């Protein structure tokens, strides 16, 4: 494991307290820091999302669990736990209830990400209701279609990320600059981002915000069982598998005995998912599929959300300042000493 550099045990790192420059994502989301916590079924609920929003970034509440009554309560709880903005994700493949748009609008939410489905389906209705809509895209064609549908922005998600994936996965390093070169809307990059250097890299490739999934699953405030967090910390960068490569939905998950067996199947089928609750909250890592991204190989500890956000911002500034000092116009002369 390479390990993330951080200000561990040393108080706030360099750049702490330096305001993040406003951009289109901070303006549209109403946040100080353009970091978004990924929507994740059963995980992206008020305990985690409020910690993220209270740290100045954007917490998101999931709907992919399909448990809309519980989600309604979680949104109510968010209002008790934070007075900062937060958003909701509509994972279209999982919430087929046509009333989902009305549900989200009724909750008074201002920001929505739509994912796992056709952007023409809900964008118009959500926009008509006055919401800001970002659609999650895994390829350029999806990005162009979403922009045509009238979204305010895109979450551009590389195939190294955890969770449900297009089986024809494209890495963030390729997808992000490609989409950036073809569209003008603001982009939030997802897939492989867990710290300042990766956030700075995403900005260099055209993003104005980043979304973190695996880093947030393994945060102190994440509600999942400690065994899953420990497995992320222990994982090498090679310790994820891609399931359903030749069917749908594609999935990226931690390598376990179960997922190694499923990796060989053409279609893992409904039984492949297993007993989600036994894994998520019971800690039985073989009971289901522990969705996680390759960046697990760079996560070395379980950290409080506030520290993840603070370290990421500090690392972002350290990275861009370091590059400017080394390669900027006032830096060393071309061809000069290293
Ligand atoms: C456990 C887990 C559950 C996820 N569930 C969802 C979901 O419900 N909706 C969605 O749009 N993305 C979902 N994703 C994908 C994330 O939103 C995010 O884009 C991805 O994790 C980013 O890559 P990273 O894991 O490298 O940070 C999930 C990811 C994980 C790890």
């Amino acid at each position: 494991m390479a390990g993330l550099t951080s200000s561990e045990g040393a108080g706030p790192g360099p750049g702490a307290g330096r305001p993040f420059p406003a951009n289109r994502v901070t303006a549209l989301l109403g946040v100080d820091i353009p970091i978004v916590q990924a929507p994740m079924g059963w995980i992206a609920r008020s305990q985690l999302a409020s910690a993220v929003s209270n740290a100045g970034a954007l917490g998101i509440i999931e709907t992919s669990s399909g448990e809309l009554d519980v989600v309604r309560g979680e949104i109510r709880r968010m209002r008790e736990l934070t007075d900062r903005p937060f958003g909701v994700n509509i994972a279209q493949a999982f919430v087929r209830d046509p009333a989902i748009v009305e549900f989200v609008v009724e909750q008074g939410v201002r920001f929505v990400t739509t994912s796992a489905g056709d952007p023409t389906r809900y964008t118009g209705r959500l926009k008509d209701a006055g919401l800001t809509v970002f659609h999650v895209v895994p390829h350029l064609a999806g990005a162009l279609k979403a922009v045509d549908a009238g979204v305010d922005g895109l979450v551009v998600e590389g195939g190294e990320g955890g969770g449900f994936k297009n089986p024809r996965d494209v890495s963030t390093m390729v997808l992000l600059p490609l989409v950036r070169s073809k569209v003008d809307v603001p982009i939030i990059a997802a897939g492989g981002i867990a710290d300042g250097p990766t956030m700075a890299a995403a900005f260099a490739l055209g993003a104005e915000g980043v979304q973190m999934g695996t880093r947030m699953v393994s945060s102190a405030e994440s509600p999942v069982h400690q065994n899953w967090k420990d497995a992320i910390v222990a994982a090498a960068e090679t310790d994820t598998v891609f399931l359903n490569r030749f069917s749908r939905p594609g999935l990226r998950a931690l390598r376990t005995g179960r997922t190694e067996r499923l990796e060989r199947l053409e279609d893992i089928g409904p039984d492949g998912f297993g007993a989600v609750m036994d894994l998520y909250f019971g800690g039985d890592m073989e009971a289901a599929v522990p969705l996680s991204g390759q960046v697990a190989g760079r996560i070395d500890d379980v950290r409080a959300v506030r520290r993840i956000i603070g370290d990421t911002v500090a690392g972002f500034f350290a990275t861009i300042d370091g590059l400017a000092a080394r390669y900027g116009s006032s830096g060393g002369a071309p061809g000069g000493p290293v």
Side-chain angles (χ1 to χ4, degrees), residues 38-41 43 64 89 115 157 161-163 190-192 211-214 291 295:
M40 299 178 281
I43 302 169
S64 54
N89 169 244
S115 57
E157 190 182 67
Q211 174 166 291
M212 295 182 189
T214 304
L291 303 173
V295 78

Side-chain angles (χ1 to χ4, degrees), residues 293-317:
Q294 291 176 345
V295 78
R298 299 195 58 238
I299 293 171
D300 286 350
D301 58 13
V302 173
R303 264 180 221 179
V305 161
R306 185 169 283 281
R307 268 206 53 214
I308 292 173
I309 304 290
D311 287 351
T312 299
V313 171
F316 173 88
F317 286 133

